[in-house]
Amino acid sequence: MKALALACALLFVGANVANAQFTGSSHDFSDGVTHNGGSALETTWNPAADKCNVCHEAHTPGVANPLWHRNMNISAAFTVYGELLPSKTLDAGPLGQPTGTTVMCLTCHDGTVGLDQYGWANAFGPGTGATTGYVPMHPFEGDIGGTHPVSFVYDDALATTDGFLHPPSTTAVPAGIVSFNGVATLSGTIEEALLDDGGTLECSSCHDVHNKWALDHLLNVPYTSSAICETCHAKG
């Protein structure tokens, strides 16, 4: 449903505007500034070659959509939300392993795959572990149980069962910030704008990797007054 939209968002749509907000963001490793603890690689990469190339390759990519250029050999098994301490509030049922666009996020953020695992020499071989000196955003070495649950189907049936979620097929996201990985539209429901293929909630439901909206934490919806939370959670 959104495969083409995702590819366009990552590579082509709004390139000039998105670039201005991507530059200097926490996903821009070409600026010579260390991120999240930093690594030696961040001061040695060639900015002209590696600004986009850390994640994408225009030719001979390892993953056709979205021309992905990173090692996909992420941790074989993640500890997920509700696995160690069963949740009394998660009505989506036991969560499986991460899927969809979340897997691409975890090629950096799982705490085990090194940032240097990209490019023809490294991207498609075995992982070498976290880069020396690099502190991932979520340095839990395969444990993502303390983060918001991801890779589960968020549909109207779940909203009804939960009782405190907005039905995604009919609830509009906040006006002015309607996006899926940076693809802006004039209007859209949660399902249309924020969910991945198959109606799953992924990292990209809340975050835009290219910092399209220039919001804190690469968010799709402002955090002010918990707007990002209340987009889906009906707690008011």
Side-chain angles (χ1 to χ4, degrees):
M1 179 171 62
K2 297 186 178 72
L4 179 59
L6 174 59
C8 292
L10 289 169
L11 296 175
F12 303 115
V13 176
N16 290 334
V17 174
N19 184 64
Q21 289 153 350
F22 174 78
T23 300
S25 73
S26 57
H27 282 161
D28 176 10
F29 297 104
S30 69
D31 55 11
V33 177
T34 57
H35 299 257
N36 305 319
S39 73
L41 286 172
E42 292 188 59
T43 59
T44 59
W45 285 343
N46 178 352
D50 290 337
K51 189 168 188 177
C52 300
N53 202 44
V54 174
C55 292
H56 304 287
E57 172 57 55
H59 303 284
T60 319
V63 180
N65 178 18
L67 301 180
W68 202 241
H69 200 211
R70 295 195 51 79
N71 181 4
M72 293 293 286
N73 291 307
I74 59 175
S75 178
F78 287 89
T79 300
V80 298
Y81 185 88
E83 184 174 339
L84 294 180
L85 182 64
S87 172
K88 296 182 179 180
T89 60
L90 180 65
D91 294 308
L95 298 181
Q97 290 296 294
T99 60
T101 54
T102 291
V103 175
M104 290 187 288
C105 299
L106 289 172
T107 60
C108 280
H109 290 280
D110 74 330
T112 65
V113 175
L115 262 181
D116 57 343
Q117 290 297 288
Y118 78 99
W120 293 344
N122 296 309
F124 316 120
T128 59
T131 303
T132 301
Y134 170 68
V135 181
M137 180 66 74
H138 302 297
F140 305 132
E141 297 184 353
D143 183 353
I144 56 174
T147 66
H148 191 287
V150 291
S151 298
F152 65 90
V153 175
Y154 173 21
D155 55 15
D156 290 1
L158 175 62
T160 299
T161 299
D162 182 271
F164 290 97
L165 291 172
H166 295 298
S169 70
T170 58
T171 304
V173 299
I177 303 289
V178 182
S179 73
F180 178 78
N181 277 314
V183 178
T185 59
L186 295 177
S187 63
T189 63
I190 293 172
E191 180 180 60
E192 293 168 334
L194 299 178
L195 300 185
D196 208 342
D197 292 329
T200 59
L201 186 142
E202 308 290 352
C203 298
S204 56
S205 299
C206 293
H207 303 279
D208 179 75
V209 296
H210 292 148
N211 196 34
K212 174 76 174 182
W213 310 111
L215 296 172
D216 290 343
H217 309 297
L218 308 175
L219 290 175
N220 278 326
V221 179
Y223 187 75
T224 304
S225 298
S226 297
I228 183 67
C229 305
E230 293 185 346
T231 297
C232 299
H233 294 274
K235 296 290 187 181

